[in-house]
Amino acid sequence: MALKVLMVCLGNICRSPLAEGILQSKVDPTLVFVDSAGTGGYHVGERPDERSIEVAAKYGLSIGHQKCRKLTSSDLDTFDLIYVMDQSNYRNTIALAKNQRQRAKVRLLLNEISVETNEVPDPYYGGQDGFEQVYRLIDAACETIAKRLQNKA
Ligand code: 4NP
């Protein structure tokens, strides 16, 4: 059975759709299933932000088919690893956990790599440059995660 990885941000339209697309592109889809969700429900049912779609396309990834959904407590049962983009996502995700086993699944994405920040900045109110920076941070972390998952597979 495939390992299940969930990427979480606030809106599930900017950062976590990129994280879903990037990690999925680096792993064997028969071994690793990747999904994403948001702790907030403002954009449920929408496709990713155009700026995320654009930066993904620049790097050869298509994410326009994704549909925004809200994180639920059952996601903490279903998924094996849950990567969050920032501290606020961490608090909101941990708040849904029922036990220590579920809490242990939740990790800050950037703790996977050595960078000066452990948060992927929320690019929603900025311009395309912010999305480029977000893409690079997420890509670096997903490269490390994918290598580790492939070694275990
Ligand atoms: P995301 O960005 O958490 O990376 O998807 C945001 C998207 C929408 C909002 C906030 C952040 N919003 O407030 O609608």
Side-chain angles (χ1 to χ4, degrees):
M1 208 170 57
L3 185 83
K4 297 192 186 72
V5 181
L6 185 66
M7 299 298 193
V8 172
C9 64
L10 171 59
N12 190 214
I13 55 167
C14 299
R15 292 166 292 177
S16 59
L18 282 173
E20 175 186 336
I22 291 169
L23 183 62
Q24 191 72 80
S25 76
K26 293 179 188 291
V27 295
D28 178 344
T30 65
L31 299 177
V32 184
F33 170 76
V34 191
D35 192 13
S36 66
T39 60
Y42 326 110
H43 298 276
V44 169
E46 295 176 22
R47 65 188 209 139
D49 188 285
E50 287 303 324
R51 295 164 295 179
S52 282
I53 292 175
E54 189 178 320
V55 75
K58 182 182 157 190
Y59 289 96
L61 292 182
S62 167
I63 63 165
H65 60 280
Q66 292 183 29
K67 204 177 249 189
C68 174
R69 73 173 180 88
K70 190 169 183 210
L71 180 71
T72 66
S73 57
S74 67
D75 286 323
L76 284 108
D77 271 326
T78 308
F79 287 87
D80 303 297
L81 283 170
I82 301 172
Y83 286 108
V84 299
M85 302 297 134
D86 63 31
Q87 300 282 3
S88 167
N89 307 152
Y90 187 84
R91 285 191 295 276
N92 290 328
T93 303
I94 285 284
L96 296 176
K98 292 192 229 24
N99 52 47
Q100 185 52 33
R101 202 178 79 84
Q102 293 189 351
R103 279 188 283 277
K105 297 176 176 183
V106 186
R107 289 128 194 238
L108 275 169
L109 181 74
L110 293 190
N111 278 352
E112 295 292 331
I113 52 171
S114 296
V115 272
E116 61 277 15
T117 173
N118 62 9
E119 299 190 289
V120 180
D122 181 345
Y124 188 59
Y125 292 105
Q128 194 70 33
D129 282 358
F131 283 75
E132 179 75 33
Q133 187 205 359
V134 158
Y135 188 97
R136 289 185 192 173
L137 285 169
I138 293 173
D139 186 65
C142 287
E143 188 68 27
T144 298
I145 293 167
K147 283 207 179 99
R148 180 150 26 81
L149 295 181
Q150 300 290 76
N151 286 342
K152 275 191 187 160

